[in-house]
Amino acid sequence: MSIKQLPSYLHGEHVGPWAIFLEQIDRVTPHLDQYAGWVDTLRRPKRCLIVDVPIRMDDGTVHHFEGYRVQHNISRGPGKGGVRYHPDVTLSEVMALAGWMTIKNAAVNLPYGGAKGGVRVDPQALSPAELERMTRRYTSEIGIIIGPEHDIPAPDVNTNEKIMAWMMDTYSMNVGATTPGVVTGKPVSLGGSLGRRDATGRGCYIVAREAMARIGMRMAGARVAIQGYGNVGNAAARAFHDAGARIVAVQDAGGTIHAPGGLDPHALCRHLDGGGALADFPGAGKIPQEDFWSVDCEVLLPAALENQITVANAGAIRARLLVEGANGPTAPQAEDILLDRGVLVVPDVLANAGGVTVSYFEWVQNSASYFWTEADIHDRLDRALTEAFRAIWQVAEDKRIPLRTAAFVVACARVLEARALRGLYP
Ligand code: NAD
């Protein structure tokens, strides 16, 4: 092979999301000054593991699933990132998600590299016993590269506290010692952290508060529209409401509600927990799904899926501030439209970093075997994200670049500084 030839995973059928990540790295390279010479490090994952996950199904047959664990970069510390169970998971997607974790962890200055894992599976098609066997075999297969000092998985799409408990148990059985710090997002009774469940939504509120202060927008009475009322959306809604903002619209997969005077997000949580549909919430009126984007508001928080704000709806958005609770909710061309119109976009790598920040706190508590109060967690999360916002805002001002590019500049510079200081071995 010629030394100029690219590794096989950098072209051919494996492109996809990884190609988007590479494009983002290309865009940030001119701003990296003295570290630009090391940027190729970010264009190659450090380690990609593809594993066969055979399990015995309940009917006695054996089925093989394909699993992945990618450590994109570990220059600043162990790999960190979730595990996704989805039938569409590919190596390209896991590589890109691992790359974005490198950026997110460095953007908020956590002492971690970036990693991600996944299994190509529809978990809804498995029985609980099959799901457990698959999780345990997958954990065992990736056990050669994970560990509290190597790479620490966490929940992502279709994985949860229960799956983290199985992963922790499997790893612990294999090494012969209870090892809570091998995963985060565990149940509190197994070493999980207080405050983890609401951390991502609280983080969205904290970065929004910082952005509002800089553009002279008052929190009291600010109108907030939220897409998605799951883990991220509902915690953010409660945090905004408790700080004096008004939640004027909410959309979930089943409907959209509008309350120009503001609705009570705590009452909405009780309504949904009781099995009610969002559209039947008595404290608001129903509107068509497509009207959500043009609701009159100051703050828009997409907290559902990727690629929701597109060239088709970006022109209708009236908010002055967009806070990306979801990962990748804004198409790049839609972001250009919003920036041209003077909308401030707080990017996902900063806006939804509250979750991984409290995961870091969980890991620190596990290694010390000493647990903090919920108030302590909230306070430390607030300080971490406020400081991250300040540093990224400063770079955006100095270089006159959007916050997303600034977050990439801050993150890439931190990773590449570590890379340069460590040098090449041998
Ligand atoms: P969740 O499954 O708890 O909630 C998702 C919400 O989105 C639900 O209310 C669902 O009804 C709604 N939704 C689904 N499809 C929709 C559609 N087509 N239109 C409108 N609403 C729709 O998920 P979550 O954990 O809250 O995650 C939401 C987003 O935040 C994802 O992009 C996720 O990757 C990202 N994120 C989550 C965390 C975390 O800690 N949970 C951390 C970082 C990023």
Side-chain angles (χ1 to χ4, degrees), residues 24 54 57 212 242 271 291:
Q24 291 172 332
M57 307 299 278
M212 290 161 87
D242 295 349
H271 172 78
D291 290 358

Side-chain angles (χ1 to χ4, degrees), residues 158-169:
N158 289 329
T159 56
N160 53 26
E161 286 187 356
K162 191 174 176 186
I163 287 172
M164 293 307 111
W166 290 331
M167 291 187 75
M168 184 280 244
D169 181 69

Side-chain angles (χ1 to χ4, degrees), residues 307-319:
N307 212 26
Q308 293 299 293
I309 300 172
T310 63
V311 290
N313 58 24
I317 288 172
R318 304 202 199 172

Side-chain angles (χ1 to χ4, degrees), residues 40-173:
D40 270 351
T41 296
L42 299 171
R43 295 196 174 103
R44 287 146 200 276
K46 164 87 175 160
R47 225 172 249 142
C48 296
L49 180 64
I50 304 177
V51 294
D52 175 34
V53 185
I55 64 158
R56 196 168 295 286
M57 307 299 278
D58 291 346
D59 66 4
T61 59
V62 174
H63 195 94
H64 293 256
F65 297 93
E66 188 163 306
Y68 312 95
R69 185 72 190 172
V70 172
Q71 293 166 357
H72 173 259
N73 190 282
I74 55 170
S75 297
R76 304 177 73 247
K80 181 93 192 84
V83 171
R84 175 172 292 200
Y85 288 172
H86 197 279
D88 299 334
V89 164
T90 60
L91 179 61
S92 164
E93 181 184 59
V94 180
M95 281 163 45
L97 291 166
W100 286 317
M101 286 309 299
T102 298
I103 302 299
K104 189 181 297 186
N105 292 334
V108 289
N109 214 3
L110 304 179
Y112 286 139
K116 203 84 180 190
V119 180
R120 267 175 91 81
V121 60
D122 174 6
Q124 271 81 40
L126 299 185
S127 71
E130 289 166 344
L131 185 67
E132 178 174 354
R133 286 198 289 275
M134 194 201 70
T135 299
R136 288 185 180 278
R137 183 63 191 248
Y138 167 69
T139 307
S140 215
E141 293 294 338
I142 64 166
I144 52 173
I145 61 167
I146 63 168
E149 266 131 44
H150 295 87
D151 179 0
I152 307 120
D156 190 63
V157 175
N158 289 329
T159 56
N160 53 26
E161 286 187 356
K162 191 174 176 186
I163 287 172
M164 293 307 111
W166 290 331
M167 291 187 75
M168 184 280 244
D169 181 69
T170 305
Y171 182 87
S172 298
M173 298 303 281

